[in-house]
Structures are given as structure tokens and as C-alpha cells.
Amino acid sequence: MAVIEDPLKYLVPIWIALIILVLLFKFNNWVDSKPAKKETKSKSNKEETIKKVDQASEDSLALKKKEEAKVEEPVPDIVVNTNYLYDRFVDNPTVDDNYDCDNKRKDIFLSDEESESIKNKKIQIKVQPVEELSEKELLYKKIEAMTSENMTAREKLLEEFDALPRNTKLMLIENIIQRMN
């Protein structure tokens, strides 16, 4: 990382830029605070505008009175039925909605009796009784199972070894002896 030998050389332009920005913001705020000037009109123009304003205010008062009269009239409550599907297919079905379907379509759904029979059917699940054994007894049983598995594996290996020819048996024994040393 380079060492800056003359920091004032870099700080002076930064400070000047900051001062210029502050002055610009102050000027902008000053301009925004001043009201906008309107063009001056002649007296005849002023009189015409006053008449127009008076006429507009009278018109607005008349409109307000009319709106108040309208507001005073009772407005009927609008009730929106949000259950369109129920109204359409249950209460007021159209001609297109009324049709008889064939028996195949009706058989797809369960009848009330079938659903009740399924619902009320008692199901019995058969479970073998759990033996309450202590941890030691469970451990002994696991050890016995493992040793019996080992014994069966040993017997199987010995049977396979006996089935091998004599030369192969000698080579296997030599390899075992070499690995032991």
C-alpha cells in the first residue's frame, strides 16, 4: 500500500467540492421557499376573472346543494351473494345443468349407507405380545444371535475349505502364515 506524502494536495479539492454542494443545496432550498410570481393583468382582466370566479362559486354552491339532496335520499342496501356455485347449481340450476347421468357415473361415488358402514367398521390389529426383558437379558440374546451367526459362517467356510483341492489348501495356509509374521 502506497503512503500518501502530501495529504493536503488531495483534501483541498474534496473540501472545495463539498462547499460547492452545500451552497447549491442552500440555493435550491431558498428558491423552493419563494412563492411563484404570477403575471400582472390589467384591471379589466381582473374584473373579468372576479366575475368568472363568482359565477363558478355560485355554480359550485348549486352543485353542492343538489348533491346534498341526492345524499339525503335513502340508498337501498346492496346485498351481494358470494356463493355463486351454490346458487347456480343447487338453488336455481339452469336447463343445461339439469341432466341425468348414466349409472356408471353414479356408481363412482359411495352411497350414504356404504360410507357409514366403512366409518363404523371395527378393525382389529393383531400384535404379538411384547416380552418384558431386562437390558442384560436383551444384550445376552443379541450376543447369542451373533455367535450363532458366526458359527454358521465358520461352518460354511470350513465346508468350502474341505471342498478345495490339496494344492489350493496348502497355498492358502502359506499365505495365512506369511501374513501372521
Side-chain angles (χ1 to χ4, degrees), residues 2 17-18 32 53 57 60 63 70-71 76 81 88 97 129 137 145 149 153 155 157 162 178:
L18 286 174
D32 288 341
V53 169
S57 65
S60 65
L63 286 173
K70 289 180 181 177
V71 171
N81 192 355
R88 163 84 190 277
D97 297 333
E137 290 175 349
E149 288 176 9
E155 290 174 6
L157 281 174
D162 285 339
Q178 286 176 358

Side-chain angles (χ1 to χ4, degrees), residues 103-132:
N103 287 334
K104 290 180 183 178
R105 290 188 188 166
K106 287 182 181 177
D107 291 341
I108 294 173
F109 302 104
L110 293 176
S111 66
D112 292 336
E113 297 85 27
E114 290 173 332
S115 64
E116 286 296 321
S117 67
I118 292 172
K119 181 179 173 184
N120 296 331
K121 186 176 182 180
K122 293 187 179 183
I123 299 173
Q124 294 180 352
I125 300 173
K126 296 179 181 178
V127 180
Q128 293 179 349
V130 178
E131 297 177 10
E132 295 184 21

Side-chain angles (χ1 to χ4, degrees), residues 162-180:
D162 285 339
L164 292 174
R166 184 174 181 193
N167 294 338
T168 312
K169 289 180 188 177
L170 291 174
M171 286 189 339
L172 283 173
I173 293 173
E174 285 179 17
N175 285 339
I176 293 171
I177 291 172
Q178 286 176 358
R179 289 188 183 172
M180 291 175 70

